[in-house]
Amino acid sequence: MKLEDIWSSYRSSLKAFLHSKISNPSDVDDLLQEILIKTHNSMDDLKKGESIKSWLFQIANRTTIDFYRKNGRLNEIDSEDLWYGESEYDVKTDLSHCIEPFLKALPEEVAELLRSVDLGERSQKAYAQELGISYSTLKSRVQKGRSELQALFEDCCHYSLDKQGNLIDFEQKSDSCKKC
């Protein structure tokens, strides 16, 4: 993908993101230009299949942090104004509305198992005893159910994970995914 295409697609989103973190419009414009330069210089670092959106916003996050460090204002801002505050976009919250439709697409016994163990926060040991099955059998069923649920998610979206395997971004593959 060309830099011009990337920039035309994401410039306004990046600018809105910067405005939410920095109040001075001229600082926002300066940082936007700095992000453009960093994007150009690190295009080779973008791995095939990686989400361009999450990659750009990681650059924007780091650039914003560097801005506050460089200007010595990190201690002057309120903790509520930090980029990682509660008002920040949370990818897991954005995807949470997809869970129930995907669970409904699974066989009922698998869906109920995942609702009880993962959403209901029941211990697997206690649930196995309640069902009258062995703990290892239940663990196998839970893992299989999670794999089936993950496959449904992967049919619908591309995911970006950090080094620890935590979800950091997603992009819907097409409009054909109507589950969520």
Side-chain angles (χ1 to χ4, degrees), residues 128-141:
Q129 288 176 342
E130 185 180 313
L131 294 176
I133 60 175
S134 74
Y135 175 54
S136 62
T137 301
L138 182 83
K139 283 183 9 179
S140 296
R141 289 180 185 174

Side-chain angles (χ1 to χ4, degrees), residues 66-124:
D66 291 344
F67 168 78
Y68 281 113
R69 283 183 183 150
K70 183 174 79 176
N71 292 312
R73 294 190 284 183
L74 196 55
N75 293 331
E76 295 176 20
I77 61 173
D78 192 299
S79 63
E80 295 172 6
D81 295 332
L82 293 174
W83 64 271
Y84 53 82
E86 289 181 28
S87 63
E88 182 60 36
Y89 167 76
D90 180 18
V91 69
K92 290 180 183 176
T93 301
D94 203 19
L95 274 177
S96 65
H97 69 279
C98 294
I99 293 172
E100 193 56 38
F102 284 138
L103 284 174
K104 287 180 180 176
L106 293 172
E108 183 55 39
E109 66 230 17
V110 175
E112 184 55 37
L113 177 68
L114 293 177
R115 280 187 193 102
S116 297
V117 172
D118 291 332
L119 300 178
E121 298 179 6
R122 272 181 149 158
S123 84
Q124 290 185 22

Side-chain angles (χ1 to χ4, degrees), residues 112-170:
E112 184 55 37
L113 177 68
L114 293 177
R115 280 187 193 102
S116 297
V117 172
D118 291 332
L119 300 178
E121 298 179 6
R122 272 181 149 158
S123 84
Q124 290 185 22
K125 276 189 177 183
Y127 196 52
Q129 288 176 342
E130 185 180 313
L131 294 176
I133 60 175
S134 74
Y135 175 54
S136 62
T137 301
L138 182 83
K139 283 183 9 179
S140 296
R141 289 180 185 174
V142 168
Q143 288 304 317
K144 184 178 182 223
R146 287 175 181 164
S147 294
E148 291 175 21
L149 183 62
Q150 182 179 0
L152 290 173
F153 272 97
E154 288 173 351
D155 285 345
C156 223
C157 299
H158 293 287
Y159 295 96
S160 298
L161 305 174
D162 63 14
K163 291 179 182 178
Q164 291 77 33
N166 297 314
L167 181 65
I168 55 174
D169 193 24
F170 73 98

